[in-house]
Amino acid sequence: MYARICLLLAGLVISSCSADYAAISERKPVFQPIRSTGRALVSFQQKIAHAAKADPALSLGDYLAAAQEAEQRLKSHPEDQDARDSYNFAVARVFSAFRETGKAPWSQPLEVPTAEGAYQLTYRREHQDRRLWNPALYDFLPADEIEMKGLYVEKHVTRGGLGAPLVAVGKDNDKAARANFGMDKIYYGVTALLDFTGRNCVITFLDPLENEEVRLDGRSHPLAADFTTPLAVMLARSNPKGMELPRLLRPQKYAETARVSRIQPYDPNKTVVLVIHGLKDSPATWAPMINSLWADKEIRTNYQFWFYSYPSGYPYPYSAAILRKELDAAEKRFSLKHKMVVIGHSMGGCISRLLITDADEKLWMDYFGKKPSQVSLTPQTKRLVEESLIFDHRSEIGRVIFISAPLKGSDLASGWPGRIGSWLIKAPFTLINVGNEAFKAVVTTGDSLKVNGMPNSVDTLAPNNRFVMEINKLPLAPGIPYHTIMGDRGKGGNHDKTRPVQSDGIVPYWSSHMAGAESELVVPSSHSAHQNEQAMEEVERILRLHQN
């Protein structure tokens, strides 16, 4: 019975999909014969063919020799596409050999014998001013060896150019991730190049989100990049989907997962885009949009992406209170030179709304009828309630994009599907105790949703939830532009509450619409409008607008 109700909750209260977000498998890439350069790289082909048949311990020398030959050809003929592709293939195979042999030059130079003499293989130790970069902490997967498929990686975003795109996978979890607002385990795209001086070869790693070009022998070449494969590897190996429903139903068990994190190294010169997921979701839901935005050079150059992840069983005012603390801590760690852009989907949009609202003590007074100093509550209860009800807008935010946000609630949350969903969520003990105590001091009203204690996330999405009704009486902070994007399943309907209403299947138009929005766009989509192509193009337009 419990399992059936869980399935009902997933099907009726939330927008979900049974397809895998991403699945990966490894393949052996095949070198395509060169035609356009005639005999210019014929010995390259011979070396690659010989290396493919050789023992992995011996093939490394052939791959290095092939890469050097292709590099020499590029220096004299920089427009030779075959030479560039040959170089990239050979560099990638060098990393294949590292994986197969377990030998790499990260701790000390590696001597690689060949019939023509030994190569001395080292690496460039500085990586984009990140002096702690240590290749020994990562496994490197050549991107051309990864076959991927899945709902979130349908669009393969690459940039043609020089170098071998790799996926750098952290061998261990990053113990400093929380303090540095990084990912627990690193999956990141880098591009490798080999620089030859005689028999000396130096490996260089470049970040394709930081570098658009690379110089070879005084000439500029586009830097090759694969932006999608690292996302696919991360999604496939970390399985975020498996945590989404548990974080809704048992939020206390996953309290430590509430955090802000970066998907890329911090760059003070780039504007932060903070994305916030919705009910029964995770940061993985943003993969299609981030992947699409990375295809745009202007976006890559000017923006960096942060995520706010949280157990979605929490009432969203409480999740917003946690986020405010996370932002305070993040700004102590990093100096923000530019005001950030916040994008919230579904309940994430409700959280975003609280970031640009000056509540002061208005919500508190509505609930308790008197000032905090006059309400008798235990210190812990008072602190938690104050953090959820008393707040001002965040000065570091310069623009907000709301996508499929039930800002005025969703009838599904107040109807029987929502009531079942609310019953299934096991509230944290701390919030239960706070709710039981605070409920006794709250001034009752006759027109709001009846809950005997602290409401959970589903309760706070009901149109007749007291918090929802009161927050919508408060104006947004002036001077912060905002935009709305919402989905329409194509069934038509009215913009107001007159039935039938226009809806994405979960959230009606009247709930997502916001007077005063700088722009509004309705896209043909279900509730997952943030993954709709037109919506992603609109976000790209808004980010370009914000930059200018």
Side-chain angles (χ1 to χ4, degrees):
M1 179 65 180
Y2 178 80
R4 289 183 180 179
I5 296 178
C6 286
L7 290 174
L8 181 64
L9 172 67
L12 295 178
V13 182
I14 332 154
S15 176
S16 184
C17 183
S18 60
D20 286 336
Y21 294 161
I24 61 171
S25 58
E26 295 195 28
R27 65 183 179 188
K28 188 171 183 178
V30 178
F31 179 69
Q32 299 299 321
I34 300 169
R35 294 185 177 89
S36 62
T37 54
R39 297 182 58 82
L41 290 171
V42 66
S43 62
F44 172 93
Q45 292 177 300
Q46 294 170 347
K47 290 181 175 67
I48 291 295
H50 183 269
K53 298 177 182 179
D55 181 275
L58 301 176
S59 65
L60 180 56
D62 283 330
Y63 290 137
L64 289 172
Q68 184 174 27
E69 182 176 336
E71 182 196 62
Q72 291 171 346
R73 173 71 181 177
L74 272 174
K75 287 180 178 180
S76 59
H77 297 81
E79 303 303 322
D80 189 333
Q81 296 296 310
D82 281 337
R84 188 191 73 180
D85 293 343
S86 301
Y87 173 85
N88 295 351
F89 185 87
V91 175
R93 302 292 72 74
V94 167
F95 281 84
S96 300
F98 290 163
R99 293 185 68 199
E100 292 176 343
T101 65
K103 295 180 180 179
W106 313 141
S107 58
Q108 61 183 18
L110 181 64
E111 184 174 287
V112 183
T114 72
E116 292 80 19
Y119 282 101
Q120 292 294 318
L121 187 57
T122 58
Y123 76 97
R124 199 176 308 280
R125 293 185 177 275
E126 291 189 9
H127 177 235
Q128 296 298 301
D129 293 328
R130 298 172 200 137
R131 303 184 192 281
L132 295 179
W133 167 256
N134 182 0
L137 300 178
Y138 301 88
D139 291 318
F140 295 97
L141 312 179
D144 64 359
E145 294 184 10
I146 303 298
E147 193 82 53
M148 61 183 175
K149 61 181 180 180
L151 184 67
Y152 286 179
V153 290
E154 293 178 341
K155 181 179 179 182
H156 192 178
V157 177
T158 62
R159 180 177 63 215
L162 189 64
L166 309 171
V167 183
V169 180
K171 293 180 178 179
D172 300 302
N173 284 353
D174 183 2
K175 296 179 180 179
R178 187 91 194 203
N180 292 325
F181 296 89
M183 307 291 285
D184 287 333
K185 191 175 181 68
I186 295 176
Y187 300 89
Y188 198 69
V190 296
T191 301
L193 299 112
L194 301 182
D195 182 18
F196 293 90
T197 304
R199 309 301 290 180
N200 293 317
C201 177
V202 179
I203 301 172
T204 299
F205 296 98
L206 292 177
D207 184 344
L209 291 174
E210 294 286 343
N211 301 272
E212 295 291 326
E213 296 182 339
V214 62
R215 296 187 69 81
L216 176 64
D217 199 32
R219 295 177 180 268
S220 292
H221 296 260
L223 179 69
D226 187 322
F227 300 108
T228 308
T229 300
L231 287 174
V233 175
M234 177 175 66
L235 292 172
R237 292 194 175 183
S238 60
N239 188 27
K241 187 175 183 178
M243 294 288 288
E244 291 171 353
L245 187 59
R247 292 208 307 169
L248 168 65
L249 300 179
R250 297 292 182 267
Q252 178 173 296
K253 183 177 179 180
Y254 303 96
E256 290 301 313
T257 66
R259 55 180 294 199
V260 167
S261 56
R262 299 172 289 107
I263 196 173
Q264 60 195 99
Y266 178 70
D267 185 338
N269 296 314
K270 293 185 178 183
T271 299
V272 170
V273 178
L274 175 67
V275 293
I276 308 175
H277 66 78
L279 187 72
K280 208 232 94 181
D281 225 330
S282 69
T285 194
W286 295 102
M289 179 179 288
I290 302 303
N291 183 49
S292 179
L293 292 173
W294 274 343
D296 187 289
K297 178 181 178 180
E298 186 172 339
I299 301 299
R300 293 194 304 266
T301 301
N302 293 296
Y303 290 98
Q304 58 191 315
F305 294 91
W306 291 9
F307 298 90
Y308 176 47
S309 180
Y310 60 98
S312 64
Y314 287 154
Y316 78 79
Y318 180 66
S319 297
I322 297 174
L323 175 55
R324 286 189 285 269
K325 292 180 181 179
E326 283 288 296
L327 290 175
D328 288 340
E331 290 179 47
K332 289 181 180 179
R333 177 68 179 82
F334 305 109
S335 57
L336 297 181
K337 293 174 61 175
H338 310 286
K339 288 184 179 291
M340 68 172 59
V341 177
V342 176
I343 309 177
H345 171 248
S346 191
M347 190 167 70
C350 298
I351 294 172
S352 303
R353 194 240 197 263
L354 303 189
L355 299 180
I356 56 172
T357 303
D358 291 314
D360 194 31
E361 294 183 355
K362 298 182 184 70
L363 294 172
W364 177 282
M365 292 296 295
D366 176 76
Y367 273 86
F368 297 100
K370 48 190 174 182
K371 291 187 172 294
S373 60
Q374 300 173 319
V375 178
S376 179
L377 296 172
T378 60
Q380 182 186 34
T381 295
K382 180 171 284 190
R383 175 177 59 81
L384 287 176
V385 177
E386 285 180 340
E387 289 172 352
S388 297
L389 297 181
I390 301 176
F391 50 86
D392 293 319
H393 78 276
R394 301 292 304 192
S395 61
E396 71 270 49
I397 295 175
R399 190 177 299 267
V400 174
I401 304 173
F402 300 97
I403 305 180
S404 298
L407 299 165
K408 302 178 187 70
S410 171
D411 288 332
L412 278 176
S414 56
W416 66 267
R419 295 306 87 216
I420 292 175
S422 177
W423 173 72
L424 284 172
I425 296 172
K426 186 175 182 180
F429 295 126
T430 300
L431 295 187
I432 291 175
N433 294 334
V434 167
N436 290 339
E437 182 183 357
F439 188 75
K440 297 175 183 178
V442 167
V443 177
T444 60
T445 60
D447 58 349
S448 61
L449 181 71
K450 297 298 185 293
V451 290
N452 297 319
M454 180 70 78
N456 57 43
S457 58
V458 174
D459 297 328
T460 53
L461 294 179
N464 58 340
N465 174 268
R466 188 168 183 175
F467 184 89
V468 172
M469 293 190 295
E470 294 304 320
I471 195 65
N472 278 286
K473 296 177 183 178
L474 302 181
L476 300 181
I480 304 176
Y482 53 92
H483 310 256
T484 57
I485 301 172
M486 55 274 282
D488 176 16
R489 294 174 298 172
K491 296 185 177 181
N494 300 305
H495 280 188
D496 60 15
K497 295 185 179 181
T498 305
R499 296 183 181 276
V501 299
Q502 186 180 95
S503 171
D504 62 18
I506 301 294
V507 179
Y509 172 92
W510 58 259
S511 183
S512 292
H513 172 74
M514 296 185 71
E518 193 165 287
S519 67
E520 175 182 281
L521 178 67
V522 179
V523 300
S525 170
S526 63
H527 187 54
S528 298
H530 60 308
Q531 296 172 359
N532 174 271
E533 192 69 32
Q534 293 180 30
M536 291 188 282
E537 290 174 358
E538 174 70 354
V539 170
E540 182 178 331
R541 181 194 70 81
I542 294 169
L543 292 180
R544 285 174 172 268
L545 172 69
H546 183 77
Q547 190 60 35
N548 296 328

